[in-house]
Amino acid sequence: MTSDGRLARGERTRAATLDAAVALATEAGLHGLSLAQLADALGVSKSGLFAHWRSKEALQLATVDRAVAQWQEQVIEPALRAPRGVRRLWAVHEARIDFYAARVLPGGCFFANTEFEYNARPGPVRDRLAGAFNQWTAFLERLVQQAADLGELPADLDAPQLAYEIDALGISAVMRSRLLDPDAAYRHARQGLLNRLRALCPDPTLLPEGPS
């Protein structure tokens, strides 16, 4: 029991440390994230972090994985509680915009930032990021296809195209919110997808009249 308690505390500490790394990466960049930088931000010793991650790259890879888990917890899982079809597709977009609007991360979006940062940086970190992007895109495409299979979207709809548009609205919202009026950015992103889905759905009453 004592051993299990120590293990649980260790996992919580590790998760909290990686949460801090994700937040720091949105401000200072993932490429520049190092054990020394994270130790300074947390006010702990570098040697303590070295026991968990033996190199800068190991820390960066773990940070990507933690960002994926955070996205799963705060964006995907809440959306999956909505009924399958256009309501779930709308819910995932809403959850994403809510995540941005809550300013959970000080630099906006971990994935939007790192997508630009690692465009021209080959290596394991870029590969891990590409894998995360592919998983997210595939998830959106599955939601679109589910809605089409239920008859809530046209059967011949181009699922990858609509998934691309949904993701683009999210990226535009978070990037614009950092420099321009955030409320307007989030409102336009919500309204943009709502207009698109209501035009495609044979039963637009499944969707709200306007953004919440």
Side-chain angles (χ1 to χ4, degrees):
M1 186 71 70
T2 303
S3 177
D4 290 344
R6 283 199 299 267
L7 183 61
R9 285 195 299 274
E11 285 301 314
R12 287 195 296 271
T13 300
R14 186 178 188 277
T17 301
L18 288 174
D19 281 342
V22 171
L24 190 60
T26 66
E27 292 186 298
L30 180 61
H31 183 67
L33 183 66
S34 66
L35 292 167
Q37 183 187 44
L38 183 58
D40 286 344
L42 293 171
V44 300
S45 69
K46 179 181 174 181
S47 60
L49 298 181
F50 190 72
H52 294 282
W53 304 285
R54 307 293 289 184
S55 68
K56 172 180 173 177
E57 185 176 272
L59 173 62
Q60 291 167 331
L61 291 170
T63 300
V64 174
D65 291 343
R66 180 57 193 158
V68 169
Q70 188 182 72
W71 192 259
Q72 177 75 28
E73 294 161 4
Q74 301 203 38
V75 176
I76 294 177
E77 289 177 6
L80 291 178
R81 292 194 284 268
R84 286 191 179 197
V86 291
R87 286 170 291 183
R88 184 172 291 182
L89 200 56
W90 171 250
V92 77
H93 187 63
E94 274 276 76
R96 180 183 190 176
I97 300 302
D98 287 345
F99 178 70
Y100 294 152
R103 301 270 171 163
V104 175
L105 298 175
C109 178
F110 177 88
F111 295 105
N113 292 349
T114 54
E115 182 175 359
F116 290 106
E117 187 182 1
Y118 275 83
N119 272 342
R121 284 196 172 104
V125 178
R126 184 181 186 276
D127 293 344
R128 189 70 59 87
L129 286 166
F133 294 138
N134 285 334
Q135 289 174 3
W136 168 244
T137 299
F139 171 73
L140 290 178
E141 290 177 8
R142 284 197 303 274
L143 295 192
V144 173
Q145 190 59 55
Q146 286 173 2
D149 292 343
L150 289 169
E152 295 180 5
L153 291 176
D156 60 351
L157 183 69
D158 186 339
Q161 177 62 38
L162 183 55
Y164 181 93
E165 293 172 22
I166 294 169
D167 189 48
L169 283 168
I171 291 174
S172 179
V174 73
M175 300 306 281
R176 285 172 176 261
S177 73
R178 310 309 297 182
L179 294 174
L180 306 173
D181 179 359
D183 291 336
Y186 302 141
R187 184 175 65 252
H188 291 319
R190 288 186 168 104
Q191 192 66 59
L193 182 59
L194 188 58
N195 291 346
R196 186 83 166 96
L197 293 179
R198 288 179 66 86
L200 289 168
C201 184
D203 183 7
T205 63
L206 292 172
L207 295 157
E209 290 284 336
S212 58

